[in-house]
Amino acid sequence: MNTIYDIQQLLKKFGTIIYVGDRLADLQLMEDELKELYKSQLLPVQDFQTALMLLRREIEIEKDKRV
């Protein structure tokens, strides 16, 4: 898992498609969904950690763009 697209494809496997038109909101919703999948023990630890790291990096980039 190397990109946000990879995370979207992972979420899609669980029937989750996130698009609200605001990239920051999309990323935050993806993070919430990943946490729920992990709590439900549907995601391995390694996938969860990698995806979370990618999302948090992208969220920071988006926040920096808005300042």
Side-chain angles (χ1 to χ4, degrees):
M1 195 171 327
N2 297 317
T3 65
I4 297 301
Y5 178 76
D6 294 338
I7 296 171
Q8 289 172 323
Q9 294 307 305
L10 174 68
L11 292 174
K12 193 171 161 184
K13 289 179 186 176
F14 293 99
T16 302
I17 296 172
I18 296 175
Y19 179 76
V20 268
D22 176 17
R23 181 149 170 87
L24 181 58
D26 288 345
L27 295 169
Q28 291 169 334
L29 287 171
M30 283 187 239
E31 183 178 338
D32 291 342
E33 189 63 29
L34 279 171
K35 287 178 183 177
E36 288 301 317
L37 289 170
Y38 179 70
K39 284 180 189 174
S40 300
Q41 298 179 343
L42 296 171
L43 277 182
V45 174
Q46 184 64 35
D47 287 346
F48 173 68
Q49 289 176 339
T50 304
L52 198 59
M53 181 185 68
L54 280 166
L55 280 173
R56 289 188 174 160
R57 186 178 70 213
E58 286 295 318
I59 287 170
E60 286 304 312
I61 290 169
E62 283 299 313
K63 284 181 179 179
D64 288 345
K65 286 181 185 177
R66 294 177 183 216
V67 174

